[in-house]
Amino acid sequence: MNKLQKAAVHLLVRYLVNDSLKKLPKAFNLAEKLDRGHLHTPQIRAVRDILLDENSLWRRFVEDLLREVDRKVLVKLVENFFINSYLDGAARARAVEARYDCNVPWAILMDPTSACNLSCTGCWAAQYGNKSSLSYEDLDSICRQGKEMGIYFYIFSGGEPLLRKRDIIRLCEEHQDCYFSAFTNGTLVDDEFCEELLRVGNFALAFSIEGDEEATDMRRGKGTYKKVIEAMERMRRHKLLFGYSTCYHRYNTESVGSDEFVDEMIAHGCRFSWNFTYIPVGKDAVTDLLATPEQRAYMYRRVREIRQTKPIFIMDFWNDGEFTNGCIAGGRRYLHINSAGDVEPCAFVHYSNVNIHEVSLLEALRSPLFMAYRRNQPFNQNHLRPCPLLDNPEALISMVKESGAQSTDMKAPEDVETLCAKTAPAAEKWARVADTLWAEHLQKEYHAERKRA
């Protein structure tokens, strides 16, 4: 996209946000024209059809956004997250991929610090303490290198990233063409920070919560649930964009998937939802928290029901493999850089060949482990079994051994075979259930295709 095209799009976005949804047809027509490589034409048309239907759920979702979220925040969301990342960045990323024969991600997840003010059950970061941090210069360099390759979306995890909130706000100021988000426990969100979020406009939070008060406090400590709800209400009063993130496991899956919980999160102002299943990462991680195959199937169905019935954008990191053609890690759609600078294929796969302090981002993407991911993806033709750790542990063992990658665990390095021995029984049990679900999915796709024909 050239400078003149970009300027035209940004003017149109501001016009749309400040006027109404009446101008949507013009916006979609322009979006199709700007999608020169036709990378996103099907998605653009699908969204157009939904939003132009005045009776659709998603039309109501957007109307609520326009009414309840600050206009500057919405402009930044559309310009940076959708235009810069999807329309402009995607074409540049594909060009880099073709030139260097490596994956180029859509998003980078990075840990500003390993420190956290909570100690949640089953979280590996709870064991690390204040051992390492990426400097502001590190974070800034990653963003600058990423933008050269077409990457405009950056997510913070940890540790608790808001322990570094001043540096994160500074980063948002410096890179106003990027969009930022963070997974946070919510205990450090005050009015002053909300005002800073409103000022920069390009930063959204995902509050970690485990379901109802009992389930949340069980893993995160007594009183944590109330602090999260208070933070959500504070964000809502400041007209900010935010959502929630859950880790579903054996003891809370039915809670986080319930109508009551999702409705409550929407009522508190959440616009999006990340859903992750528990992974036993870390030498002392308990396998008892692993969700059962029946619970994972329950979440697969519930997420799809919620998308049809509730005004919230909901994602399931594992069960949405059918939409991403399998695993998105290894730089295919995202990668992880931990607080020590180790460049890992996934936040849950703590193995690496390279450190960002010693190599460029491009060199990291061409490192042995990342190239092994590129050669082997997808790891399973059943995209409901996408993960090399949770669903295909033999694949992760093979790639780590082949590439000579080393454990990056900050407390107790773990051999990959020892790690995968924890998930192999769950993978075997899930395979039987997932294969049935996948067969049902393929049958539906077949009938839908025949109907279209």
Side-chain angles (χ1 to χ4, degrees), residues 253-254 257-258 293-303:
T253 296
E254 291 74 17
S258 69
E294 292 74 21
Q295 288 174 319
R296 192 163 161 184
Y298 163 81
M299 285 300 293
Y300 170 82
R301 293 189 172 96
R302 276 298 293 149
V303 165

Side-chain angles (χ1 to χ4, degrees), residues 257-327:
S258 69
D259 283 327
E260 292 78 10
F261 173 70
V262 178
D263 288 343
E264 181 185 5
M265 292 297 97
I266 294 171
H268 286 303
C270 291
R271 312 292 174 176
F272 60 88
S273 165
W274 290 92
N275 291 267
F276 302 88
T277 193
Y278 172 76
I279 305 291
V281 176
K283 207 161 189 178
D284 300 323
V286 293
T287 57
D288 181 58
L289 285 174
L290 278 163
T292 66
E294 292 74 21
Q295 288 174 319
R296 192 163 161 184
Y298 163 81
M299 285 300 293
Y300 170 82
R301 293 189 172 96
R302 276 298 293 149
V303 165
R304 282 147 185 78
E305 289 173 2
I306 291 166
R307 285 180 181 141
Q308 299 298 318
T309 58
K310 299 184 187 299
I312 188 167
F313 187 77
I314 184 167
M315 298 157 282
D316 188 324
F317 197 72
W318 272 265
N319 287 339
D320 278 344
E322 68 185 78
F323 305 112
T324 59
N325 295 319
C327 174

Side-chain angles (χ1 to χ4, degrees), residues 181-390:
S181 186
F183 296 108
T184 176
N185 61 40
T187 61
L188 302 176
V189 175
D190 53 24
D191 286 323
E192 180 183 357
F193 182 58
C194 287
E195 290 165 5
E196 287 290 270
L197 291 177
L198 198 58
R199 181 174 64 83
V200 295
N202 58 339
F203 188 22
L205 298 184
F207 291 98
S208 298
I209 194 165
E210 308 294 331
D212 59 22
E213 184 170 7
E214 181 181 0
T216 299
D217 288 0
M218 184 272 285
R219 283 197 70 198
R220 298 182 172 271
K222 188 171 178 58
T224 304
Y225 176 86
K226 289 182 179 177
K227 290 180 181 178
V228 172
I229 298 302
E230 289 171 2
M232 287 182 179
E233 288 300 319
R234 186 171 287 114
M235 294 275 289
R236 187 180 186 187
R237 288 197 298 273
H238 284 83
K239 303 190 75 174
L240 291 163
L241 183 69
F242 63 92
Y244 70 92
S245 169
T246 67
C247 174
Y248 61 90
H249 53 77
R250 183 185 297 268
Y251 302 106
N252 77 336
T253 296
E254 291 74 17
S255 173
V256 299
S258 69
D259 283 327
E260 292 78 10
F261 173 70
V262 178
D263 288 343
E264 181 185 5
M265 292 297 97
I266 294 171
H268 286 303
C270 291
R271 312 292 174 176
F272 60 88
S273 165
W274 290 92
N275 291 267
F276 302 88
T277 193
Y278 172 76
I279 305 291
V281 176
K283 207 161 189 178
D284 300 323
V286 293
T287 57
D288 181 58
L289 285 174
L290 278 163
T292 66
E294 292 74 21
Q295 288 174 319
R296 192 163 161 184
Y298 163 81
M299 285 300 293
Y300 170 82
R301 293 189 172 96
R302 276 298 293 149
V303 165
R304 282 147 185 78
E305 289 173 2
I306 291 166
R307 285 180 181 141
Q308 299 298 318
T309 58
K310 299 184 187 299
I312 188 167
F313 187 77
I314 184 167
M315 298 157 282
D316 188 324
F317 197 72
W318 272 265
N319 287 339
D320 278 344
E322 68 185 78
F323 305 112
T324 59
N325 295 319
C327 174
I328 65 171
R332 183 167 168 263
R333 289 294 178 268
Y334 103 107
L335 59 79
H336 178 239
I337 303 174
N338 71 16
S339 58
D342 298 309
V343 186
E344 303 167 337
C346 178
F348 301 95
V349 175
H350 295 181
Y351 297 91
S352 179
N353 295 114
V354 290
N355 190 286
I356 202 64
H357 297 127
E358 300 165 356
V359 301
S360 68
L361 184 58
L362 179 59
E363 288 170 330
L365 287 164
R366 300 182 72 194
S367 66
L369 184 56
F370 277 78
M371 293 305 290
Y373 262 73
R374 180 172 172 82
R375 285 192 302 272
N376 288 281
Q377 289 167 321
F379 301 108
N380 200 303
Q381 293 306 308
N382 179 346
H383 295 324
L384 299 182
R385 298 167 59 192
C387 180
L389 171 55
L390 184 62

